[in-house]
Amino acid sequence: MMEFKYIIYEKNEGVATITLNRPEALNAFSEEVINEVIRALEDVKADENIRVVVLTGAGEKAFSAGADIKAMKGMNALKARKLSQTGEKLCVALENLEKPVIAAINGYALGGGLEVAMACDLRIASENARMGQTEINIGLIPGWGGTQRLTRLIGMTKAKELVFTGKIIDAKTAEQLGLVNMVVPQDKFRETVQQFAVELAQKAPVAIKVAKALINKGAEASLDAALALESEGFGVVASSEDLQEGVSAFIEKRKPVFKGK
Ligand code: DAK
């Protein structure tokens, strides 16, 4: 088993759960935390039994209250640059992972905490979740893609409002803005997330992998180029064993068992 100090890494029913585990600091992202999450994601990548990742926070209060503010005191340009690069590396690792990642937002997701949640594919919030790009309050701007990913997710009007004011919104508002996929009562949160993740883990892995890449890459391309990419991806998925299994299962009126091949 891998050794970690700041995260808990578990595997269950095809789902890997990475829990940020510094509840005394509201799971703030220090460089060590980020590097441990990146290391866990490398294991996820190598483990073909793992089909879905859940990223969440320990305790009842926070997913993550953002970058570690205490570590920023007296930070020079080189250290800030390193912190920015490490955080970006994590976000890119989440986006490029060929498996879906669910951010299970169990409380505050502020600043860098929200940015990391936005680099995940889906966001499930508990009723007590609170989200915001609060950097402005300490004289900063989002530095792990928040100005860009937030805008792509909810549009310029609301993105500017959140980034300029630093206000914290509740789970319901986040759902209305399209920032989270769903809101779940707090007492059913962990089990609902796991159930959702297990269902996702049973979907065809090749199709999910290609769909994730197409949606991410397509967002950066012209419609023409993106549609061409979709055709290529469709070709790949159509030649998968998973498709043959899906078709056979349909004809035989049974549940498909996908292998990711
Ligand atoms: N970092 C470090 N410690 C934090 C923290 C954080 N972000 N947030 C909370 N804590 C610590 C608190 O200091 C406190 O520690 P002790 O005093 O007990 O030692 C403990 O967690 C519990 O917090 P509170 O006592 O404050 O709890 P409350 O319930 O009263 O308040 C709160 C909860 C979430 C409203 C409050 O803690 C808060 O406002 N926290 C700060 C949230 C925030 O502004 N987050 C955004 C941080 S800025 C960069 C790229 C990206 C970024 C930075 C640089 N580069 C390119 C260089 C990203 C920046 C950010 O994320």
Side-chain angles (χ1 to χ4, degrees):
M1 208 48 204
M2 300 173 79
E3 289 287 322
F4 294 107
K5 196 163 162 206
Y6 300 107
I7 64 169
I8 303 166
Y9 181 51
E10 298 160 299
K11 302 178 187 184
N12 196 358
E13 300 177 278
V15 178
T17 300
I18 301 172
T19 305
L20 308 168
N21 191 25
R22 285 179 81 202
E24 69 289 353
L26 303 185
N27 303 318
F29 280 106
S30 61
E31 212 155 328
E32 292 83 359
V33 174
I34 299 174
N35 283 323
E36 288 198 358
V37 178
I38 292 174
R39 202 145 57 77
L41 290 174
E42 280 161 8
D43 181 74
V44 166
K45 197 171 161 187
D47 187 341
E48 59 181 46
N49 294 319
I50 295 302
R51 303 254 176 105
V52 173
V53 180
V54 172
L55 180 62
T56 191
E60 302 285 299
K61 243 183 119 174
F63 171 79
S64 170
D68 194 323
I69 300 177
K70 289 171 185 164
M72 280 186 219
K73 198 157 165 55
M75 185 160 48
N76 64 23
L78 277 179
K79 269 190 93 173
R81 182 163 169 265
K82 177 94 186 309
L83 182 64
S84 170
Q85 287 170 339
T86 315
E88 273 165 20
K89 188 173 161 197
L90 170 60
C91 293
V92 169
L94 291 163
E95 278 175 344
N96 287 349
L97 187 75
E98 295 183 328
K99 302 173 186 188
V101 185
I102 301 166
I105 306 176
N106 56 305
Y108 287 113
L110 304 178
L114 180 56
E115 291 177 290
V116 170
M118 289 192 296
C120 298
D121 300 300
L122 301 166
R123 281 157 293 284
I124 303 180
S126 65
E127 265 172 355
N128 63 318
R130 299 285 180 271
M131 283 152 266
Q133 291 299 161
T134 50
E135 289 87 345
I136 200 83
N137 299 331
I138 56 166
L140 203 61
I141 60 166
W144 291 338
T147 60
Q148 304 310 308
R149 289 194 185 87
L150 182 64
T151 308
R152 282 163 172 73
L153 288 174
I154 68 170
M156 263 197 209
T157 304
K158 285 294 175 181
K160 283 180 180 165
E161 182 182 328
L162 291 182
V163 171
F164 293 176
T165 65
K167 77 175 175 191
I168 295 176
I169 58 172
D170 62 18
K172 203 81 211 137
T173 308
E175 189 184 28
Q176 284 160 359
L177 290 175
L179 186 55
V180 302
N181 295 83
M182 67 183 99
V183 181
V184 177
Q186 207 182 343
D187 59 340
K188 299 211 165 53
F189 186 63
R190 305 275 176 197
E191 64 179 271
T192 307
V193 169
Q194 178 67 14
Q195 204 180 343
F196 183 90
V198 168
E199 277 171 30
L200 202 55
Q202 283 155 17
K203 303 285 176 193
V206 177
I208 291 205
K209 157 168 98 176
V210 173
K212 172 170 173 170
L214 285 173
I215 292 173
N216 283 348
K217 300 287 175 215
E220 307 303 317
S222 68
L223 183 61
D224 248 15
L227 290 174
L229 275 180
E230 191 186 62
S231 296
E232 297 297 324
F234 193 88
V236 171
V237 176
S239 65
S240 67
E241 285 177 28
D242 282 353
L243 173 66
Q244 295 311 317
E245 166 62 11
V247 170
S248 302
F250 176 78
I251 293 168
E252 294 159 22
K253 300 187 188 299
R254 62 174 173 82
K255 207 169 169 277
V257 181
F258 295 115
K259 298 206 178 83
K261 291 190 177 141

